[in-house]
Amino acid sequence: PFPSILRGGVTMFSDIVAIIAMFGTFFVVYLNYKKDMAMFKLDIRMERLNKLYVPFYRIYCTKMLLTRKLTDLSIEEIKEIFDILNNNLHYLETITQDCYCNVYRVYATWIDSSSSSVESENQLNYSFSLLSNLILLDYRKLLRKCRLPEPLPQLTSRKPLQK
């Protein structure tokens, strides 16, 4: 009788070990999945930063720090800004993309107009000011999510120009 009780206990013990091993394996796979997803999201965020937000911020700080008006820049400098935005439009947040479409429409109208009227110039400057504020807000949020240092608030938060 004694060996049969021992055999039953060994069987029960091996069943418990198998169940623990199964849960352990599941837990390790789940942790690896979470780590892979976190790394994937970080890679996407870093790509967004490197291709869109950092180049925009660099131009914004070097070319637009002294002026608040897009139309005070040269045509080449304006084109450089729009090239960065056009080539990386898919990295913008949805609301910012919508604002960009409006700015681009105003920009195209301003470029096409034979005489750059004060009204179209003011509309472009106002629209671009709103877009810049949205991009810089997104930039700060993205830096925070990546746990990177944020730029000085006075560089990234300006009141939009009056319409």
Side-chain angles (χ1 to χ4, degrees), residues 43-55:
D43 288 346
I44 295 295
R45 289 176 182 143
M46 292 303 294
E47 185 175 326
R48 290 176 67 201
L49 279 172
N50 292 329
K51 290 190 176 184
L52 172 65
Y53 291 97
V54 170

Side-chain angles (χ1 to χ4, degrees), residues 77-91:
E77 291 170 327
I78 294 172
K79 185 180 178 324
E80 183 181 1
I81 291 170
F82 277 97
D83 284 346
I84 288 171
L85 295 172
N86 282 335
N87 293 334
N88 298 291
L89 184 60
H90 54 286
Y91 291 124

Side-chain angles (χ1 to χ4, degrees), residues 91-106:
Y91 291 124
L92 290 172
E93 295 292 332
T94 307
I95 293 170
T96 311
Q97 285 181 24
D98 184 49
C99 184
Y100 172 76
C101 292
N102 181 52
V103 170
Y104 196 81
R105 180 186 50 77
V106 173

Side-chain angles (χ1 to χ4, degrees), residues 49-131:
L49 279 172
N50 292 329
K51 290 190 176 184
L52 172 65
Y53 291 97
V54 170
F56 180 83
Y57 182 69
R58 198 172 285 138
I59 287 175
Y60 184 81
C61 284
T62 58
K63 310 229 189 246
M64 298 204 63
L65 205 54
L66 299 177
T67 180
R68 295 191 58 198
K69 295 181 178 180
L70 180 68
T71 55
D72 287 346
L73 301 177
S74 71
I75 293 296
E76 291 78 26
E77 291 170 327
I78 294 172
K79 185 180 178 324
E80 183 181 1
I81 291 170
F82 277 97
D83 284 346
I84 288 171
L85 295 172
N86 282 335
N87 293 334
N88 298 291
L89 184 60
H90 54 286
Y91 291 124
L92 290 172
E93 295 292 332
T94 307
I95 293 170
T96 311
Q97 285 181 24
D98 184 49
C99 184
Y100 172 76
C101 292
N102 181 52
V103 170
Y104 196 81
R105 180 186 50 77
V106 173
Y107 169 68
T109 303
W110 179 72
I111 289 291
D112 287 342
S113 65
S114 56
S115 62
S116 295
S117 71
V118 173
E119 184 181 327
S120 68
E121 190 173 300
N122 287 342
Q123 189 175 7
L124 177 60
N125 287 325
Y126 174 75
S127 299
F128 187 77
S129 175
L130 290 176
L131 176 66

